Structures are given as C-alpha cells and as structure tokens.
C-alpha cells in the first residue's frame, strides 16, 4: 500500500523533501505544513503553526499520515517525536532528549568527550568572569557559543580583542540570546576547511547520504554577515572515501553508542559539521536535521528511495537498506531579496519560472497569489545545477539563475569557487 507523508516546515529544504516524496512510487500523498509556493505545486499545503505540537498531531491523525518528517529543529527540540510516539503516530526524528545534540552545544560536547570523538577543546562557563579568566589563559582566537538554540546566531568567532569584547557585550550586557546563553561553551578556534556529512540513523545503524559545503556569508569571497546559507555544492572535493569512512567509524557510530548508553537511541537525520585540520576531521557541531540549502543538492543526487530509507529507519531496519548516490555533482545558488539577512521587501512578482519548468528550482520564501508566485522571505529560490564535475555544475546552476528575475534579486556569484580552487591547487587557502 502506498503511504501518506507529512513534511513539517516551509523552506527550500522542505520543498526538496516534498519533491523527493512526490517522485517516489511508495508514496501516494504528500502534505506540507505550512509549505511554500513551490510545495503548493507538488503537495497539499496546510496552514499550521509549527509551535503548536498538539495541532500537528491532530492534523497527522485526521489525514491518516503514515510518516511525518520534520524539517527544522524547533519542533524536535520541543518534543514532537515524544508526543507522536506516545500516540502511536509514526514520525522520523530524534526525541527531545536526542535533539539536545543540537539544542545544547555542551550536551553534544560532553557526549563527544565521553566517547573520545575528535573535537576542539572546550570549557563550560556560567559567568562573564569565568569567560574572561579563561581567555587570559587560553588566548585568542577563541569561539564563544551560546549553549542553547539561538536561530543560528549563537556562535561568535573571536580573533581580536574587539571581537571578544563585542561577543561579551552581546551575550552578557545585551542578553541577546536570553536563556540560550545561560551557559557558554568556550572553544579553541580550529583553522581548516569545513564540510558537512549527512546521515540517516535508526538508533543503532546509520547510512551516509552525502557530503556538502554551505556558503554562510552574505557576500562573495565569504564576506559580510552570516546567513542561513547562500548556496551549496555536493559532494565536496574534500570528501574522500577514507575520510567518509573515518567520520562513520570514529564520529557517527560512537555518537549513536553514546545516545544508546544514555537510554535514548538516536533516530533521525544527523548533520555532522566538520573542520578538516591537516586531513583529520574535528566536529564543529551536530544538527539533528538536514541543512538548508545543503538538502537541495544532497537529495537530487540520491538515486535510491528516501522514503524507504526513512521508513526502514523508523523500523530499526537500516542495516539492510541501500543508498545509491549519483556520481554527478550538484550546485545550488540561493536567490535572495536585496538586504537579506537584514531588512528586505516582500511581495515582488517572480518572473521567468515558466522558462525553467524543466529544471530543478526549489522554492523557499515564496507564496502563490492568484496566478503569480510572489516573494515572501529573505531566501526566495534555490536554482540547482548538475554536471559531471563541479565546474560544469556551477555553470549549469548560474544558467538557471539568469533566467529568473524579480525586483531586488540578489545572489552570490562565487558558489563553488573555493571547491574549484581546492581542485586546482589542492589547497583552498589562497
Ligand atoms: P554554527 O552556527 O554552529 O554553524 O557555527 C557557525 C560557524 O562558526 C561554523 O560554520 C564555523 O565556521 C565556525 N565555528 C564554530 N565553532 C568553531 C571552532 N571551534 N573553531 C573554528 N570555527 C568554528
Ligand atoms: N545551512 C546551514 C544549516 O542548515 O544549518
């Protein structure tokens, strides 16, 4: 019997999930709550407040959903999986306890320390005085992290005294992160190349989907403020089969063992953010969900059924599952509204979407209004290009970008450039 799937969330990541399920022979219906202008075309959008877990449960029961897949971290950190499981409603994701791998940086750091997983040295601090005293001993550069969820803004890399003072002000004087900064993880700053590994876990076993590299800064050459992500490519040239095996054996497997030891076997996506230093991977962070925009390049390269993989994971049956990945490279360029991640306008009509009907364009901040698709957020669309190598995938993605237009269209022109430099010189630090 074909299954009904409900996806929670409204970004490009959720459109990519919906696309994957809509093209899956195992799936009869795809619902997206709340979804966006793109998911409206391939799934049924249902307006809902993701903070209201009871309402989501009611919706899943009413629609007789067979599998619910959670996009963003907040419902997981609030315990949506615990609620669904208590009601016998199948959902893919970690319970509230397991979601602490993302919702508490120090929970994750302590678990990694217990399991001897490579990570930067870290210190748990409760007060400004502790942070200042440690700085005198450790010296800059250091990284200050609010322990709790801070909408992706709680990490401050401090290379200079000014940056360190500014971080202290943000945390302790302005109280910008509220309770999320009741504890601080003070960490050694690692210097190297970043890449992320995406895995599906069933409590005991895991399967790696692929690797990807995000582009977090707003402007070209990694300048400007941090954003949710302005583009990504998959796989990354840094990810050799040896490295992937090392990440599986020395990071993911011991993490699953640590969660099992604690009485909460970890089921869900695991996003492992790594810094590669002299060829060795160190964990910068865990996330308990897929990345956005990384999902928009990871899922199109997956040739086997995502639905089946997630279903098997909820059955604790991943060991026998197969993951087949294309040998191509995918690149996504985010089309954003001018001003993002600061102030920007909404409601602009998007033109040119019809001319790219045969191409993959995932929507993020869009809304269907009458016969138009209009902008409704900071990150608006994700153009996805493919190629036999990174260079041709970059060219392919920018061809799509050129065919789409709206007032205030902004995008980075250098997505994939660091990867190309690495390929050319064997070194990205030019
Ligand atoms: P996050 O918001 O947790 O994704 O972290 C933002 C960025 O901060 C990461 O992508 C890294 O570039 C950087 N970062 C976090 N922790 C460290 C660390 N210990 N050493 C160096 N860079 C770090
Ligand atoms: N693109 C970074 C994230 O999803 O956290």
């Amino acid at each position: 019997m074909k299954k009904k799937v409900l996806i929670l969330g409204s970004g490009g990541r959720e459109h990519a999930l919906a696309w994957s399920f809509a093209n899956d022979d195992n799936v009869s219906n795809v619902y997206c709550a709340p979804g966006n202008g793109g998911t409206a075309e391939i799934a049924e959008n249902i307006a809902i407040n993701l903070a209201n877990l009871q309402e989501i449960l009611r919706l899943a029961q009413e629609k007789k959903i067979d599998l619910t897949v959670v996009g963003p971290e907040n419902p997981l950190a609030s315990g949506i999986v615990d609620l669904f499981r208590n009601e016998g409603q199948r959902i893919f994701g970690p319970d509230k306890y397991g979601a602490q791998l993302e919702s508490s940086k120090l929970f994750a750091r302590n678990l990694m320390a217990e399991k001897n997983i490579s990570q930067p040295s870290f210190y748990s601090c409760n007060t400004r005085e502790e942070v200042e005293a440690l700085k005198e001993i450790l010296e800059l550069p250091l990284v200050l992290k609010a322990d709790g969820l801070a909408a992706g803004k709680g990490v401050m890399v401090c290379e200079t005294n000014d940056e360190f003072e500014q971080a202290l002000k943000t945390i302790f004087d302005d109280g910008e992160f509220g309770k999320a900064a009741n504890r601080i993880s003070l960490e050694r700053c690692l210097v190297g190349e970043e890449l992320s590994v995406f895995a599906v876990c069933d409590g005991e076993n895991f399967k790696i989907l692929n690797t990807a590299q995000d582009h977090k800064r707003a402007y070209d050459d990694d300048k400007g403020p941090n954003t949710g992500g302005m583009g990504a490519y998959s796989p990354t040239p840094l990810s050799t089969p040896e490295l992937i095996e090392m990440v599986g054996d020395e990071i993911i497997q011991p993490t699953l063992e640590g969660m099992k030891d604690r009485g909460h076997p970890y089921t869900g996506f695991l996003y492992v953010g790594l810094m590669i230093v002299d060829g060795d991977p160190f964990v910068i962070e865990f996330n308990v969900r897929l990345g956005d925009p990384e999902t928009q390049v990871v899922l199109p390269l997956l040739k086997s059924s995502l639905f089946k993989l997630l279903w098997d994971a909820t059955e604790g049956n991943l060991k026998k599952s197969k993951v087949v990945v294309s040998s191509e490279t995918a690149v996504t360029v985010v089309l954003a509204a001018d001003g993002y991640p600061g102030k920007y306008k909404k409601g602009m009509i998007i033109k040119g979407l019809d001319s790219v009907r045969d191409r993959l364009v995932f929507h993020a901040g869009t809304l269907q209004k009458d016969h138009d698709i209009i902008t409704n957020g900071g990150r608006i669309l994700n153009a996805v290009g493919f190629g036999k190598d990174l260079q041709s995938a970059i060219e392919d993605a920018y061809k799509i970008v050129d065919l789409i237009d709206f007032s205030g269209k902004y995008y980075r022109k250098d997505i994939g450039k660091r990867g190309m430099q690495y390929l050319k010189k064997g070194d990205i630090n030019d």
Side-chain angles (χ1 to χ4, degrees):
M1 256 256 288
K2 291 196 181 198
K3 308 291 190 198
K4 294 182 177 179
V5 180
L6 169 65
I7 300 159
L8 303 182
S10 60
R13 166 182 54 206
E14 288 74 21
H15 189 188
L17 284 163
W19 168 84
S20 184
F21 296 133
N23 289 311
D24 195 312
D25 287 341
N26 300 293
V27 177
S28 60
N29 300 66
V30 184
Y31 301 90
C32 239
N36 60 39
T39 60
E41 292 180 356
I42 55 169
E44 187 181 323
N45 279 356
I46 300 169
I48 205 165
N49 174 5
L50 285 189
N52 189 339
L53 304 189
Q54 289 293 344
E55 202 185 321
I56 303 171
L57 174 67
R58 217 167 22 245
L59 168 71
Q61 289 169 332
E62 214 172 86
K63 296 280 183 193
K64 297 194 170 24
I65 299 296
D66 296 296
L67 176 67
T68 300
V69 179
V70 188
E73 62 278 18
N74 291 81
L76 297 167
S78 309
I80 191 164
V81 170
D82 309 64
L83 177 70
F84 269 52
R85 281 193 192 147
N86 283 340
E87 296 290 325
Q89 185 73 40
R90 190 184 297 248
I91 186 163
F92 177 71
D95 60 12
K96 183 173 178 164
Y97 186 89
Q100 289 180 92
L101 282 179
E102 177 167 356
S103 68
S104 167
K105 308 267 186 204
L106 285 162
F107 174 90
R109 289 278 178 237
N110 287 328
L111 183 129
M112 285 186 264
E114 194 180 296
K115 300 307 270 184
N116 278 323
I117 295 171
S118 296
Q119 61 176 337
S121 48
F122 72 98
Y123 305 84
S124 172
C125 302
N126 295 301
T127 64
R128 182 181 199 135
E129 289 68 35
E130 280 178 75
V131 176
E132 282 174 333
L134 277 164
K135 183 223 170 195
E136 293 311 315
I137 302 166
L138 300 170
E139 299 180 359
L140 298 178
L142 292 168
V143 182
L144 292 182
K145 299 185 175 182
D147 179 55
L149 291 179
K153 295 186 186 131
V155 175
M156 285 146 286
V157 178
C158 309
E159 290 179 351
T160 62
N161 278 317
D162 276 358
E163 285 170 342
F164 185 77
E165 290 305 322
Q166 183 56 45
L168 290 182
K169 179 175 177 297
T170 307
I171 298 170
F172 295 106
D173 298 338
D174 306 344
E176 198 164 310
F177 308 120
K179 276 198 213 142
N182 278 357
R183 290 197 302 162
I184 304 288
S185 177
L186 174 75
E187 304 183 356
R188 283 266 188 216
C189 186
L190 297 181
V191 180
E193 283 305 326
E194 283 185 59
L195 94 136
S196 302
V197 178
F198 297 90
V200 171
C201 309
D202 74 353
E204 195 130 354
N205 295 293
F206 67 92
K207 294 283 169 184
I208 290 176
L209 294 176
N210 215 328
T211 61
Q213 174 136 37
D214 187 11
H215 296 61
K216 278 190 193 291
R217 302 293 199 96
Y219 313 139
D220 283 8
D221 296 321
D222 297 322
K223 302 252 163 49
N226 262 325
T227 69
M230 295 299 292
Y233 54 91
S234 173
T236 88
L238 285 164
S239 57
T240 58
E242 296 75 36
L243 181 75
I244 299 298
E245 200 178 313
M246 202 196 246
V247 170
D249 293 348
E250 296 176 17
I251 295 172
I252 303 178
Q253 197 61 55
T255 300
L256 294 185
E257 281 160 18
M259 294 306 292
K260 205 173 156 200
D261 293 347
R262 291 170 181 224
H264 290 266
Y266 184 91
T267 304
F269 291 114
L270 188 63
Y271 168 146
V272 187
L274 297 168
M275 186 77 82
I276 310 297
V277 184
D278 298 328
D280 291 327
F282 289 77
V283 179
I284 291 288
E285 59 164 350
F286 282 133
N287 291 314
V288 297
R289 51 171 174 85
L290 289 176
D292 188 340
E294 295 94 322
T295 307
Q296 291 86 305
V297 280
V298 167
L299 293 187
L301 294 176
L302 182 67
K303 293 299 156 206
S304 46
S305 163
L306 177 72
F307 173 82
K308 197 162 177 324
L309 198 65
L310 304 190
W311 188 269
D312 287 350
T314 58
E315 302 256 290
N317 241 343
L318 262 192
K319 201 164 185 176
K320 66 171 183 51
S321 310
K322 288 255 178 315
V323 173
V324 183
V325 176
S326 159
S327 60
E328 283 196 311
T329 296
V331 169
T332 185
V333 178
V334 170
L335 300 185
D338 195 22
Y340 172 78
K343 274 190 165 176
Y344 54 82
K345 287 189 189 153
K346 290 184 184 179
M348 312 297 178
I349 292 177
I350 303 173
K351 297 183 211 107
L353 285 173
D354 277 338
S355 65
V356 290
R357 283 263 160 230
D358 57 336
R359 303 306 318 264
L360 210 47
V361 178
F362 292 124
H363 292 216
T366 72
L367 195 67
Q368 209 167 22
K369 192 175 176 221
D370 306 322
H371 296 296
D372 291 319
I373 297 275
I374 62 169
T375 72
N376 190 42
R379 291 192 292 174
I380 295 163
L381 296 165
N382 307 259
V384 188
F386 299 90
K388 61 178 191 329
D389 54 23
L390 181 56
Q391 179 63 41
S392 50
I394 293 170
E395 284 164 17
D396 194 44
Y398 280 104
K399 269 187 215 152
I400 305 172
V401 169
D402 288 342
L403 293 169
I404 301 172
D405 201 21
F406 52 86
S407 167
K409 167 179 148 184
Y410 173 76
Y411 58 95
R412 273 183 63 164
K413 316 262 185 317
D414 65 342
I415 303 300
K417 187 173 148 192
R418 278 171 78 88
M420 286 308 300
Q421 285 169 345
Y422 179 79
L423 283 169
K424 278 188 196 136
K425 296 192 232 153
D427 178 9
I428 305 187
N429 300 309
D430 58 335

